[in-house]
Amino acid sequence: MSLKNISAVMVAERSIINIINHSIYGLIHKSNVNKIYIIVPLKDLEIFRKKISYNNIYVVCEDDLISIKNQNRIKKKLGRKIHMYGWYLQQFLKFEFINYIEDESYLIWDADRVLLKDWNFNKDILEIIPARENHKPYFTTLKKVTGISKQVNYSFISQFIMINRGDLNNLIKLINNKRPDIWYLNIIDALEKLKDNEFSEYETYGNYFAYIKPRLISLKKIKWFRYGAAIISLKTLSSCNSDFLEKKFNGYQYVAFERHNYSLIKKVLFHVMAYFKF
């Protein structure tokens, strides 16, 4: 493993409490990440601090990044889409984290992802596992707030992304040049509010990066598995060790434990997918 000099940030809440130590373990033991910041709601601070058993892990209150006043402004501006408040807030927190640390770069890592194989994250390029998603509302909002259209024929939603301080600051300035308010409030104002999800932090940063530095994008052909929670329940997961997970999901770089209710048919399908390494 190369020099461990990467800071990572996750946004979490208590529904993933049984996943979090696995997510931490993977990054600390299988990558060049040496510090992890976990942003949680005020009501969840204590439960995360008690649960986490690693050094160099910092639990941060989301109110320290986006004030209660501005959280309420987000809720008000969402109007009939207020049920999506938490979904939008967690994305905004990942960008606002830039004002919390002084590092020149940091890794955004989805908190319900567990790294299974060694990975040296690169600060100097944008490593992407290209996805097939093409959710048009993301790019409608992107165009409105930056003037930039979709730049590539793949999706940047790989469940992680390396953020460069200078590039993110310039992106935020660009958003603020289009509208007069705080950048995340400008994004809410730009939403058409026809769909539940109309903004993606991954697609926004990725396509901006592709616009300014297309030659510094590296596409990786790596397998990962999205339906870990259909194979191992979140309740059971807390008693599993890393060796068990590595064997269970052998052949994958990382596994996601997304919180969904899976039907029996889907569980069977996902077991088959995992067995044959689809």
Side-chain angles (χ1 to χ4, degrees):
M1 192 66 62
S2 64
L3 182 66
K4 293 176 74 67
N5 60 353
I6 302 287
S7 293
V9 63
M10 304 178 188
V11 179
E13 39 77 35
R14 66 179 58 216
S15 72
I16 68 155
I17 197 68
N18 289 334
I19 307 172
I20 199 66
N21 273 322
H22 290 294
S23 301
I24 293 169
Y25 181 93
L27 288 178
I28 293 296
H29 291 277
K30 298 180 184 299
S31 82
N32 50 339
V33 168
N34 68 328
K35 288 187 293 186
I36 300 175
Y37 297 82
I38 304 172
I39 304 168
V40 303
L42 176 62
K43 61 183 173 59
D44 293 341
L45 272 175
E46 197 60 32
I47 190 173
F48 273 88
R49 286 173 175 165
K50 287 181 178 178
K51 180 74 173 180
I52 292 167
S53 55
Y54 293 89
N55 296 324
N56 291 337
I57 311 300
Y58 307 93
V59 182
V60 180
C61 180
E62 62 186 26
D63 301 352
D64 293 336
L65 278 70
I66 297 179
S67 68
I68 295 293
K69 177 183 176 180
N70 285 333
Q71 289 179 41
N72 288 331
R73 293 179 72 190
I74 293 171
K75 292 176 183 177
K76 184 175 180 180
K77 284 178 176 290
L78 279 171
R80 59 194 175 90
K81 293 295 182 180
I82 193 172
H83 60 283
M84 295 300 295
Y85 164 72
W87 192 81
Y88 283 111
L89 180 66
Q90 57 91 16
Q91 298 187 68
F92 299 156
L93 289 167
K94 293 171 188 174
F95 281 3
E96 273 298 294
F97 182 68
I98 195 174
N99 297 314
Y100 191 85
I101 62 169
E102 297 180 354
D103 302 45
E104 287 304 309
S105 60
Y106 63 90
L107 176 73
I108 291 174
W109 182 265
D110 280 3
D112 56 5
R113 270 61 183 168
V114 178
L115 187 63
L116 302 172
K117 293 183 178 180
D118 290 348
W119 190 318
N120 282 320
F121 295 103
N122 193 322
K123 291 182 176 182
D124 301 319
I125 61 175
L126 192 64
E127 295 179 315
I128 296 294
I129 302 173
R132 297 177 182 177
E133 298 179 44
N134 184 27
H135 188 58
K136 291 182 180 179
Y138 292 158
F139 308 109
T140 298
T141 303
L142 172 68
K143 181 71 173 179
K144 282 185 178 181
V145 298
T146 67
I148 298 171
S149 301
K150 184 177 181 180
Q151 299 293 301
V152 296
N153 62 357
Y154 53 85
S155 170
F156 286 94
I157 302 176
S158 327
Q159 324 308 319
F160 70 90
I161 197 165
M162 184 68 71
I163 297 294
N164 175 274
R165 171 178 292 277
D167 294 334
L168 180 55
N169 274 329
N170 287 334
L171 170 59
I172 288 172
K173 287 177 184 177
L174 182 60
I175 293 171
N176 285 340
N177 285 340
K178 295 288 182 180
R179 295 168 183 266
D181 213 330
I182 300 171
W183 70 269
Y184 47 81
L185 297 177
N186 291 337
I187 287 174
I188 296 294
D189 284 338
L191 303 178
E192 293 184 342
K193 300 184 179 69
L194 299 176
K195 303 284 186 179
D196 279 350
N197 46 344
E198 295 182 354
F199 171 77
S200 165
E201 79 279 42
Y202 289 111
E203 297 287 30
T204 300
Y205 184 83
N207 280 277
Y208 174 73
F209 194 96
Y211 180 75
I212 61 170
K213 298 179 179 178
R215 295 182 180 179
L216 293 183
I217 295 176
S218 175
L219 302 184
K220 303 292 185 182
K221 292 184 178 180
I222 292 172
K223 284 187 176 182
W224 67 279
F225 191 68
R226 189 167 199 160
Y227 309 105
I231 310 295
I232 303 173
S233 72
L234 300 187
K235 188 174 182 180
T236 303
L237 185 62
S238 61
S239 62
C240 298
N241 60 35
S242 59
D243 289 339
F244 175 82
L245 293 180
E246 288 175 37
K247 292 176 182 177
K248 191 70 174 179
F249 299 101
N250 181 39
Y252 295 108
Q253 185 73 36
Y254 57 93
V255 57
F257 291 91
E258 297 179 350
R259 283 87 68 214
H260 299 300
N261 292 321
Y262 298 107
S263 67
L264 179 59
I265 293 174
K266 284 190 174 181
K267 286 183 178 180
V268 171
L269 173 62
F270 296 146
H271 272 83
V272 171
M273 289 174 64
Y275 181 82
F276 287 104
K277 310 304 173 193
F278 289 146

